[in-house]
Amino acid sequence: MSKEDPRQYEKYTKSDAEREKLHKRTLTVVIMSQIFGGAGLAAGITVGALIAQDMLETTRYAGLPAALFTLGSALSAFVVGRLSQRLGRRLGLTIGFVTGGIGAIGVIFATTFNIIWLFFLALFIYGAGTSTNLQARYAGADLANARQRATAVSIAMVSTTFGAVAGPNLVEPMGKVAEFINIPSLAGPFILAAVAYILAGLTFFFYLRPDPLFVAQAIAEEESRQADAAGIPVDRGHTSIQRIGIIVGSIVLVLSQMVMSSIMTMTPVHMRDHGSGLSAVGLVIGLHIAAMYLPSIVTGRLVDRIGRHRIVIASGITLGISGIMAAYAPGESLFWMAFALILLGLGWNFGLISGTAIIVDSTNVYTRAKTQGSVDVFIALGGSAGSLLSGIIVANASFSILGFIGMYLALLLIPLIFWVRLKEKKLAQDKMRMTS
């Protein structure tokens, strides 16, 4: 289970009070790290497409940067998930964040010396920070019980708001810092990203002790021993994993990410083409990111209280409305673009927390981290596809068409939930017939 001495976990396996105390401490560490991580992820979202547009002198490939760092996010999600399962959350998340920081440094060099291949490679590496920032939400849920899981995930996410909202609004100040040290102004946000991601990694490395995943495994082992002693059969293998839940949770997460990434990626380009300045773009993206993370604490409680499926339906409806608004909102209107992007962020928030809760419900501690990493691979690939195709769609059609496509994809979440409810009802009926 761990190279550390397993005896250090004994007090957590035998005392609910100690376990709860450690759960709260873990959430505190996750909050500290997520504040830094949020600032790091904002750089690529806000100026990545603008740098590509300037370097390539075309809008057609403006979605490529987001596609690249989400592809890098996909690879790192797989690696970080496997590392976390084997080495624990602490080392897995540390490696992911530091790698993202190195990628941000590479973007700075590439932009400064106008090296396009290095810019693309560095963005790919920078994506490690994006996926690690998302995977950190699982660390907060390792020690949560079934009634606390969505709330624990939401607490981890809401803390990202502080850094994520500050990041886009620091575009101009960081641009001035960049110019002061003789590098292009658009590279400025990546200076912030490099520092933020590395600090996030170091926070996990020094403070996430004992590792919550290893403690959760120790608790599960103790419960298994007690069940064995009482003669109760315990399933520690894969059969306890609810495969339907993993599939449904994955689809919810992937569709939410695809819709959000595609519209968000092209919004800065769309606004700048209609005469908006960097400060206006930064404000809209900042409000969008606030809507992605700030409602999390309320969303988590709603998911735990009224159910995962209802919030998934709310996600589909909210994302659908945001797609329509993006299609019709004037590109020069700060108010309407901000409103559309706020709804886009809120719909993504509903989808991410409800989908994550479904995934956590459908896994156990023996396979959880690597399963979560694999799911996050598909989330990143969905986001990458959305980002890449968004530039092509806007270049060959329009931003309005992109909004309509996003709406149609979002509304697919509603029939998905009706399907899974029918499937669960059928499985329950089959189980009753077998036992009768």
Side-chain angles (χ1 to χ4, degrees):
M1 179 175 60
S2 169
K3 294 181 180 178
E4 301 174 20
D5 184 357
R7 289 176 295 181
Q8 67 178 300
Y9 308 133
E10 286 183 3
K11 65 179 181 179
Y12 304 112
T13 63
K14 297 178 179 178
S15 170
D16 290 340
E18 290 292 336
R19 188 185 312 176
E20 182 64 23
K21 188 186 300 182
L22 179 61
H23 175 54
K24 291 179 179 179
R25 183 176 181 275
T26 299
L27 284 176
T28 300
V29 175
V30 170
I31 288 170
M32 291 168 56
S33 180
Q34 291 292 82
I35 291 173
F36 294 125
L41 68 86
I45 293 172
T46 309
V47 299
L50 301 180
I51 293 175
Q53 188 177 23
D54 289 347
M55 293 179 76
L56 299 172
E57 298 181 349
T58 178
T59 303
R60 183 178 298 272
Y61 302 108
L64 188 56
L68 283 169
F69 71 68
T70 47
L71 277 174
S73 175
L75 176 62
S76 65
F78 180 85
V79 174
V80 170
R82 282 348 188 234
L83 288 174
S84 296
Q85 190 71 60
R86 186 173 182 179
L87 304 176
R89 299 287 189 193
R90 172 175 160 266
L91 291 180
L93 295 173
T94 296
I95 292 169
F97 270 128
V98 172
T99 302
I102 292 171
I105 294 171
V107 171
I108 296 168
F109 276 98
T111 307
T112 302
F113 298 104
N114 200 34
I115 306 173
I116 294 177
W117 69 265
L118 179 60
F119 173 64
F120 290 153
L121 176 62
L123 278 171
F124 184 80
I125 298 171
Y126 166 80
T130 306
S131 67
T132 306
N133 193 72
L134 270 178
Q135 284 207 34
R137 73 193 189 277
Y138 292 121
D142 281 333
L143 296 172
N145 60 46
R147 296 183 303 275
Q148 296 175 321
R149 286 170 182 163
T151 302
V153 170
S154 69
I155 290 172
M157 286 183 59
V158 75
S159 57
T160 307
T161 308
F162 300 102
V165 173
N169 290 291
L170 290 174
V171 167
E172 287 199 14
M174 290 306 301
K176 293 178 181 178
V177 171
E179 289 175 347
F180 181 76
I181 56 178
N182 295 319
I183 66 175
S185 61
L186 286 178
F190 283 95
I191 299 174
L192 174 64
V195 174
Y197 275 159
I198 291 172
L199 285 175
L202 292 177
T203 299
F204 276 126
F205 182 77
F206 287 112
Y207 297 107
L208 197 65
R209 300 171 183 266
D211 194 291
L213 183 61
F214 289 155
V215 174
Q217 290 176 353
I219 292 169
E221 292 285 356
E222 178 63 25
E223 290 174 348
S224 295
R225 282 192 292 270
Q226 292 178 3
D228 288 340
I232 302 172
V234 178
D235 178 12
R236 300 178 65 247
H238 293 277
T239 57
S240 64
I241 299 176
Q242 301 173 22
R243 298 186 185 280
I244 293 178
I246 293 176
I247 293 170
V248 171
S250 299
I251 293 173
V252 171
L253 292 167
V254 170
L255 281 179
S256 300
Q257 185 74 11
M258 184 177 290
V259 173
M260 186 276 294
S261 296
S262 60
I263 296 175
M264 175 198 66
T265 296
M266 294 311 298
T267 295
V269 175
H270 179 64
M271 291 183 64
R272 192 166 76 164
D273 287 347
H274 283 77
S276 298
L278 278 178
S279 59
V281 172
L283 176 61
V284 169
I285 296 299
L287 291 171
H288 165 68
I289 295 176
M292 288 172 64
Y293 294 100
L294 195 56
S296 295
I297 192 65
V298 176
T299 305
R301 293 183 184 278
L302 287 174
V303 171
D304 280 334
R305 289 184 180 181
I306 70 175
R308 280 70 163 136
H309 292 171
R310 291 180 180 176
I311 303 301
V312 171
I313 292 173
S315 172
I317 293 172
T318 307
L319 287 171
I321 294 172
S322 73
I324 295 174
M325 289 196 62
Y328 285 108
E332 67 277 8
S333 173
L334 179 63
F335 174 80
W336 288 112
M337 289 305 300
F339 195 17
L341 268 289
I342 287 171
L343 286 178
L344 184 70
L346 182 62
W348 177 86
N349 177 273
F350 289 162
L352 189 78
I353 294 181
S354 57
T356 298
I358 292 170
I359 295 293
V360 175
D361 291 344
S362 305
T363 55
N364 57 44
V365 294
Y366 305 107
T367 58
R368 180 166 296 158
K370 65 181 182 180
T371 302
Q372 291 161 344
S374 297
V375 170
D376 280 3
V377 169
F378 291 104
I379 296 173
L381 289 175
S384 178
S387 299
L388 183 59
L389 292 173
S390 65
I392 298 172
I393 291 168
V394 171
N396 291 280
S398 67
F399 188 76
S400 295
I401 295 298
L402 178 65
F404 282 119
I405 293 173
M407 177 196 70
Y408 293 134
L409 288 175
L411 293 178
L412 290 176
L413 293 174
I414 298 174
L416 172 69
I417 294 304
F418 284 110
W419 171 81
V420 73
R421 285 185 173 179
L422 288 173
K423 190 75 173 175
E424 289 176 348
K425 184 178 180 180
K426 184 177 182 300
L427 289 173
Q429 290 173 345
D430 291 344
K431 187 175 180 180
M432 286 179 64
R433 280 196 297 266
M434 291 176 63
T435 55
S436 62

